[in-house]
Amino acid sequence: MFKNAPFRFADFESIVLKYGDGDNLINQFNSKTGVYQFVNVRDSVIVDTVRLRKDDLQYLHGKATQLGFWNLPDDMTSGAPDMTEPVARFYLQFNYKEKSKEVTLDADFDGNTKMRDVAKTMVDETMRVLQDARSR
């Protein structure tokens, strides 16, 4: 069903996660630098340092391989901007020595549901691992 992953964990360098409303992706994490910037419940921007362990990164790489993250289109946005409330947008990038895979997903993406579910699962898993590492 899905082709083999063109990315190897031995070549893995970093993960970048960004999310927010519309084009305002103020919440950001970069595993290479460990910088995690997010907006808390009081609308204050918090900058923290979070280091993911090798096991965390290997888990996320394995999950991406298992779900077929590499087969997703890069652009899973909903298309024309709506003049009402901006929709939640997520950007996830896996960086390797010679390649990278990035996906931009809108919460209201109405394309292929299986692809949307894979992208959402990868974002959710990355956020869960990030929160687990932050709480350590």
Side-chain angles (χ1 to χ4, degrees):
M1 183 170 158
F2 288 114
K3 60 186 174 191
N4 289 338
F7 304 92
R8 299 177 317 154
F9 185 71
D11 296 335
F12 181 82
E13 291 185 343
S14 67
I15 293 176
V16 175
L17 171 67
K18 299 178 184 180
Y19 58 97
D21 293 332
D23 290 332
N24 185 18
L25 304 178
I26 194 163
N27 304 290
Q28 302 180 15
F29 173 71
N30 185 329
S31 68
K32 190 173 209 167
T33 62
V35 174
Y36 180 33
Q37 172 184 300
F38 62 97
V39 177
N40 67 7
V41 293
R42 295 187 207 145
D43 287 336
S44 299
V45 176
I46 307 295
V47 178
D48 197 1
T49 301
V50 179
R51 296 287 179 191
L52 297 183
R53 298 177 181 164
K54 182 179 178 183
D55 291 346
D56 296 331
L57 298 172
Q58 197 162 17
Y59 168 77
L60 290 171
H61 170 81
K63 194 68 157 172
T65 301
Q66 173 191 5
L67 295 174
F69 179 72
W70 325 118
N71 300 309
L72 296 177
D74 292 347
D75 185 8
M76 297 177 73
T77 56
S78 45
D82 192 354
M83 292 300 167
T84 61
E85 301 267 335
V87 68
R89 178 168 288 173
F90 304 91
Y91 172 85
L92 184 59
Q93 179 179 14
F94 279 61
N95 295 311
Y96 294 82
K97 286 181 182 170
E98 297 181 13
K99 305 179 194 180
S100 68
K101 175 62 179 175
E102 57 189 53
V103 172
T104 304
L105 170 71
D106 281 350
D108 67 348
F109 178 68
D110 62 354
N112 185 309
T113 56
K114 286 184 181 182
M115 288 183 170
R116 182 192 65 222
D117 292 346
V118 167
K120 182 162 176 15
T121 299
M122 282 308 306
V123 168
D124 291 345
E125 284 297 306
T126 303
M127 292 176 87
R128 184 189 62 77
V129 167
L130 178 58
Q131 291 306 320
D132 288 350
R134 187 168 183 261
S135 65
R136 285 187 233 143

